[in-house]
Amino acid sequence: MADYDWNDRKIMTFDTNNVISTIDLHVYYGEKEAIHGVDMQFQENQITALIGPSGSGKSTYLRSLNRMNDFSDTARVTGEILYEGVNINSKEVNVYEVRKQIGMVFQRPNPFAKSIYENIAFVHRKNGVKSKKQLDEIVETSLKQAALWDQVKDDLNKSALAISGGQAQRLCIARAISVKPDILLMDEPCSALDPISTMQVEETMTALKENYTIIIVTHNMQQASRVSDYAAFFYSGDLIEYDETAKIFTNPSLKSTEDYVSGHFG
Ligand SMILES: Nc1ncnc2c1ncn2[C@@H]1O[C@H](COP(=O)(O)OP(=O)(O)OP(=O)(O)O)[C@@H](O)[C@H]1O
Ligand SMILES: [Mg+2]
């Protein structure tokens, strides 16, 4: 491997419009430290891509942003996660409230074994929405935002397990946005999808940018350069370089970033 100086960092900061940021964020799995103190800010209504080799800590970092690591017996997260000025990495902050504001879409589409309609309506009914008309509206609006409505509007009672992978992933996006989060976290949302479905999900993301802040983990460099406004290169639990996507892909500041994005790394 080329002789990189891993102490070099080039991390952009913003004066305004930071919707969420982390300060000295560390994540430990038992004794092992997987994230070594990451300071990072995310811009509102922009798409930020987290890139880096396997095991560099992208998912671990992403999951900490909506306290998904709380589910793990071994993970421990220290440092601050500031969302609207509040440190949400605190026991006093209700984790379910956090997840209403910061939604997540996973690598493998994970629709419930229910109808397309119920995949979205379920949580709202559980939260006390009784009116059929209101539920219909939530389902329709969410599916439209996820660019799936036209394809499924006549099949809303069909099982969500009987639709294509790309449609299922857009259903999961619809489900996530139906509760009107501010931020959408996506961990390799297209890695299980064919190129056409991938394109459709990317188009959906671009359209959603108007109303949501999106943070996506991807191994696909073309995808990162197509959809993201900012890109962050992680290596071995550290944020190494963070800049505008165009800069990261055409003229990065660090040799390691350049080698990674051009496929010459390692
Ligand atoms: N539940 C866990 N328990 C213990 N160690 C873990 C756990 N999850 C991840 N790790 C370790 O933390 C480090 C970062 O893993 P993480 O999954 O965040 O990387 P990643 O960048 O998302 O990788 P990939 O691109 O393969 O998804 C790795 O060394 C991994 O082995
Ligand atoms: Mg991962």
Side-chain angles (χ1 to χ4, degrees), residues 19-20 61-68 71 83 88 95-106 110 172-187 189 208 211-217:
V19 58
I20 188 166
Y61 180 77
L62 189 79
R63 280 201 303 268
S64 67
L65 295 177
N66 74 342
R67 302 215 356 224
M68 248 345 145
F71 283 139
Y83 170 64
I88 57 170
V95 69
Y96 296 99
E97 291 302 319
V98 168
R99 297 207 188 113
K100 264 191 219 160
Q101 301 301 323
I102 310 174
M104 188 144 192
V105 174
F106 298 89
N110 58 346
C172 294
I173 294 172
R175 190 174 66 191
I177 61 185
S178 75
V179 295
K180 296 198 166 35
D182 245 6
I183 302 172
L184 209 49
L185 309 176
M186 304 176 116
D187 195 349
L208 289 175
N211 297 307
Y212 302 91
T213 301
I214 298 177
I215 307 173
I216 176 182
V217 170

Side-chain angles (χ1 to χ4, degrees), residues 10-12 51 225 231 233 240-262:
K10 172 74 170 35
I11 297 165
M12 83 181 312
I51 59 172
S225 63
F233 174 53
I240 304 293
E241 182 163 354
Y242 179 31
D243 216 321
E244 288 171 13
T245 297
K247 173 98 169 70
I248 292 281
F249 282 93
T250 58
N251 183 24
S253 298
L254 304 179
K255 176 88 171 81
S256 52
T257 310
E258 185 180 346
D259 284 355
Y260 182 73
V261 300
S262 62

Side-chain angles (χ1 to χ4, degrees), residues 125-157:
R125 195 177 288 116
K126 235 177 88 191
N127 288 341
V129 181
K130 292 202 183 72
S131 136
K132 168 91 169 76
K133 182 162 172 278
Q134 220 179 326
L135 289 169
D136 286 354
E137 260 169 36
I138 294 170
V139 170
E140 182 172 339
T141 311
S142 314
L143 287 171
K144 279 184 174 160
Q145 282 193 329
L148 188 57
W149 175 250
D150 287 339
Q151 286 171 45
V152 300
K153 64 178 190 289
D154 299 323
D155 288 317
L156 293 175
N157 292 320

Side-chain angles (χ1 to χ4, degrees), residues 55 58-60 63 107 187-188 217 219:
K58 305 175 300 293
S59 298
T60 298
R63 280 201 303 268
Q107 184 167 5
D187 195 349
E188 300 188 53
V217 170
H219 277 280

Side-chain angles (χ1 to χ4, degrees), residues 34-59:
I35 295 290
H36 310 290
V38 168
D39 295 315
M40 190 171 179
Q41 306 171 329
F42 297 92
Q43 287 279 287
E44 193 163 26
N45 297 111
Q46 300 287 305
I47 301 179
T48 303
L50 309 184
I51 59 172
S54 193
S56 56
K58 305 175 300 293
S59 298

